[in-house]
Amino acid sequence: MSKTAIVTGASRGIGKACALRLAKAGMDVVVNYNSSEEEAMKVVDAIKEMGQEAVAIKANVSDRKEVGTLFREAFKQFGHIDVLVNNAGVVDDAYLLMLNMDSLDRSMDINVKGYFYCCQQAALKMFKQKSGKIVNVSSVSSKLALAGQSVYSATKGAVNSMTATLAKELAPYGIQVNAVAPGFIGTEMIEAIPEEKKAEYLKNIPMGRLGTVEEVAEVVNMLCSDASSYITGQVIVMDGGLSL
């Protein structure tokens, strides 16, 4: 019987790559999205072409009720939830004196509360089977101070602390909780940056290149597999040496 994974924010970028990689590993996948239904369905189709089952479910992870519905529908569809990849998030950079309170609330709601809501629902399902893997997508910004990212850094620092504490709480129930902290990854957001700004970023990366979404997905897949059977509470930094 195939394992079932829920990947939040899976219609594009890192979430999409994770959904496809987990399907390649033989998992059925719940492709969560909030607004990009067309893109989410493309991911579902690609997974089905691999021979795995997939379904797209719309849910805003900052809304606790919608998260509850997401997990109920996923459980109804597959009968079990074995993996959660908490990926849905927002980046809204601003210097301290220019912070917008609505933006601050949105970042906290999605990047922190959303992760808690999803972890709580996943744990409720995983308790019964005494096993499960939760992987939280953090950021190198949680380890490295970047001007203008105080809010984003704060939310991802919270994700790291949450990961460690939940790992300790849930380990007795056979549930492992880990995180990956990517650096500059070649997503649509990064590709939209002017070339001169991108070149400036590359100067600070010892490996001299951006990471790929597929590289992040490989590490996520490892943390969701038996290869990570004795790893919990860890934050794996993937930044090409940027934070060294």
Side-chain angles (χ1 to χ4, degrees), residues 142-193:
S142 66
K143 304 278 189 179
L144 179 70
L146 296 172
Q149 285 205 333
S150 59
V151 173
Y152 186 65
S153 295
T155 63
K156 292 305 183 179
V159 167
N160 294 357
S161 296
M162 174 198 317
T163 297
T165 305
L166 294 185
K168 185 169 277 191
E169 281 186 21
L170 300 177
Y173 304 96
I175 303 168
Q176 293 163 258
V177 188
N178 290 290
V180 293
F184 290 117
I185 306 299
T187 60
E188 292 173 10
M189 183 177 70
I190 291 292
E191 294 304 327
I193 292 173

Side-chain angles (χ1 to χ4, degrees), residues 48-230:
K48 288 183 176 179
E49 284 178 12
M50 295 181 196
Q52 296 301 131
E53 290 301 314
V55 61
I57 300 179
K58 184 182 190 308
N60 178 349
V61 298
S62 70
D63 186 312
R64 191 179 179 192
K65 288 183 179 179
E66 289 191 24
V67 170
T69 300
L70 163 65
F71 278 79
R72 279 194 302 276
E73 289 186 13
F75 193 79
K76 188 186 300 181
Q77 179 83 17
F78 295 105
H80 52 98
I81 295 167
D82 307 281
V83 166
L84 165 66
V85 179
N86 253 331
N87 167 74
V90 292
V91 184
D92 197 357
D93 294 348
Y95 290 103
L96 178 64
L97 299 182
M98 300 172 70
L99 285 183
N100 176 290
M101 292 304 107
D102 289 340
S103 172
L104 175 61
D105 288 342
R106 182 167 175 260
S107 292
M108 291 295 182
D109 286 347
I110 296 173
N111 295 0
V112 180
K113 290 182 183 179
Y115 277 39
F116 270 117
Y117 296 154
C118 290
C119 283
Q120 187 178 53
Q121 288 297 318
L124 284 169
K125 304 300 183 188
M126 294 172 179
F127 274 150
K128 297 174 185 176
Q129 60 203 35
K130 299 293 182 185
S131 66
K133 308 264 193 179
I134 296 174
V135 179
N136 296 319
V137 177
S138 180
S139 168
V140 70
S141 294
S142 66
K143 304 278 189 179
L144 179 70
L146 296 172
Q149 285 205 333
S150 59
V151 173
Y152 186 65
S153 295
T155 63
K156 292 305 183 179
V159 167
N160 294 357
S161 296
M162 174 198 317
T163 297
T165 305
L166 294 185
K168 185 169 277 191
E169 281 186 21
L170 300 177
Y173 304 96
I175 303 168
Q176 293 163 258
V177 188
N178 290 290
V180 293
F184 290 117
I185 306 299
T187 60
E188 292 173 10
M189 183 177 70
I190 291 292
E191 294 304 327
I193 292 173
E195 288 301 320
E196 61 271 16
K197 191 67 176 175
K198 205 183 302 180
E200 188 180 316
Y201 288 152
L202 289 172
K203 283 181 191 174
N204 295 317
I205 302 173
M207 288 184 69
R209 67 174 179 85
L210 300 176
T212 68
V213 292
E214 289 79 14
E215 286 172 320
V216 178
E218 284 293 340
V219 176
V220 170
N221 178 63
M222 182 275 291
L223 291 173
C224 294
S225 74
D226 292 339
S228 68
S229 58
Y230 200 54

Side-chain angles (χ1 to χ4, degrees), residues 1-11 14-33 40-58 70 73-75 77-87 220-221 224:
M1 181 175 65
S2 296
K3 290 185 176 180
T4 300
I6 294 179
V7 183
T8 66
S11 64
I14 290 173
K16 174 182 177 180
C18 289
L20 295 174
R21 183 63 185 87
L22 294 177
K24 184 180 177 182
M27 295 189 196
D28 296 330
V29 183
V30 175
V31 177
N32 162 251
Y33 71 97
M41 289 309 301
K42 288 178 184 177
V43 179
V44 168
D45 291 342
I47 291 170
K48 288 183 176 179
E49 284 178 12
M50 295 181 196
Q52 296 301 131
E53 290 301 314
V55 61
I57 300 179
K58 184 182 190 308
L70 163 65
E73 289 186 13
F75 193 79
Q77 179 83 17
F78 295 105
H80 52 98
I81 295 167
D82 307 281
V83 166
L84 165 66
V85 179
N86 253 331
N87 167 74
V220 170
N221 178 63
C224 294

